[in-house]
Amino acid sequence: MQPEELSNINPPDAQAVWNLVRPYTGEQRDVQPTGRGYGADVTALVQCENGPVFVKACRNRPGGRRASLIRERLVNPYVRAVSAELRWHAEDAEWIALGFEAIEGRSADFAPGSPDLVAVVGVVERIGELPLPEQAHDWQETRWDRFADEAEARLFRGTTLLFTDINPDNVMIGNGRAWAVDWSWPTRGAGFIDPACLVVQLIAAGHTAEAAESWVADCKGWAGAGRREIDAFAAATLRMNRTVAERRPDESWLQSMVEAARAWCEHRGVTA
């Protein structure tokens, strides 16, 4: 595929993106669009004169996508121990773009018995141990708040840097290690939230709720949380997933997340 060709935007826009990033990539020999980075207009692996690079770009307009790319740029220096390195960023009046090192790997397998599980849990543990960057102090996690009452929502507060977007496509395995990629919306909150997000994903992948919780039992944030906090989060997660699935009934994977969250609540004896 030539650089000006991208399936999700028209050719003139694609050419504008490549013109913007060319000072960093050099000659662009091949562009392969990817399914990663739902918060961007363009995500592609680019083979180029200056080596392979993963490019994320969005239109430079006020709103969630632009804010997401800016947040990902700001957090990257502090998460490189667990993620791809941001090599450059570029911006003009029309587009904003990030260029990351190209990771050689594959999406993680979350299924029971997968040899990837130890590495997956390990990367979640390492995220929970990262220092909170100065920039993240104002990034309070609030996405679950409207699915909980005020007292429960306070249980989700904390000073841990959170990834939250844990799923098989965002954990990559390669060269004997794991990476958490696509830091689209890092936040600050309670340390149990990332392990809890992994629990739901493991259940959706076929684990029992009991087995899923056993995988995260030694994660610092999970081990330090009380039953009340995790129960409140489980209930809020089920309410959130139900709401999203009802709005997007054609996306079957969302119903799978509802069923996983429901199974988790039933295991914990929580009513949502």
Side-chain angles (χ1 to χ4, degrees):
M1 179 173 289
Q2 295 303 307
E4 66 273 12
E5 299 175 11
L6 282 174
S7 59
N8 57 337
I9 62 175
N10 62 49
D13 282 339
Q15 190 58 56
V17 172
W18 306 130
N19 289 342
L20 171 65
V21 306
R22 187 168 285 113
Y24 303 94
T25 64
E27 179 187 353
Q28 298 150 2
R29 302 187 178 100
D30 184 62
V31 175
Q32 294 297 325
T34 75
R36 301 185 190 282
Y38 297 108
D41 295 307
V42 173
T43 57
L45 180 63
V46 182
Q47 302 294 336
C48 55
E49 181 180 355
N50 296 337
V53 62
F54 180 72
V55 175
K56 292 180 70 171
C58 74
R59 289 173 174 82
N60 198 355
R61 303 169 182 164
R65 288 189 171 186
R66 182 182 188 278
S68 173
L69 259 66
I70 290 174
R71 190 172 286 203
E72 187 165 8
R73 172 174 64 82
L74 291 173
V75 81
N76 183 263
Y78 305 97
V79 301
R80 289 177 182 174
V82 294
S83 189
E85 179 183 349
L86 178 66
R87 297 286 174 79
W88 48 260
H89 66 276
E91 182 174 355
D92 62 16
E94 296 298 324
W95 290 91
I96 180 171
L98 307 179
F100 293 91
E101 68 171 311
I103 291 174
E104 293 185 10
R106 56 172 175 79
S107 297
D109 180 359
F110 281 17
S114 166
D116 297 345
L117 292 173
V118 171
V120 171
V121 174
V123 80
V124 172
E125 288 181 313
R126 291 174 69 194
I127 291 170
E129 295 169 354
L130 293 173
L132 184 71
E134 181 69 27
Q135 291 91 331
H137 280 271
D138 294 331
W139 299 349
Q140 182 170 282
E141 178 56 67
T142 60
R143 282 168 289 184
W144 281 264
D145 286 12
R146 68 189 183 94
F147 303 101
D149 64 34
E150 186 176 348
E152 290 173 335
R154 286 197 294 269
L155 302 175
F156 308 154
R157 304 290 179 259
T159 58
T160 298
L161 179 66
L162 301 177
F163 178 52
T164 69
D165 198 9
I166 298 167
N167 63 68
D169 283 338
N170 281 352
V171 180
M172 295 188 67
I173 304 292
N175 296 325
R177 60 164 292 186
W179 296 266
V181 299
D182 194 9
W183 283 75
S184 295
W185 206 252
T187 53
R188 170 181 63 82
F192 68 83
I193 290 179
D194 273 344
C197 290
L198 177 57
V199 166
V200 179
Q201 289 287 331
L202 291 177
I203 296 170
H207 296 254
T208 65
E210 181 179 9
E213 289 191 344
S214 72
W215 273 106
V216 304
D218 293 332
C219 291
K220 181 179 177 181
W222 178 276
R227 183 175 187 90
R228 182 185 174 211
E229 288 94 325
I230 296 175
D231 284 352
F233 188 79
T237 298
L238 176 53
R239 296 183 192 114
M240 174 190 282
N241 286 334
R242 280 197 307 229
T243 299
V244 175
E246 287 168 1
R247 291 176 178 172
R248 294 151 61 183
D250 295 335
E251 299 184 44
S252 59
W253 70 272
L254 290 172
Q255 188 58 42
S256 298
M257 298 310 299
V258 172
E259 296 306 321
R262 180 177 291 118
W264 187 30
C265 285
E266 289 174 353
H267 167 69
R268 299 190 65 84
V270 173
T271 300

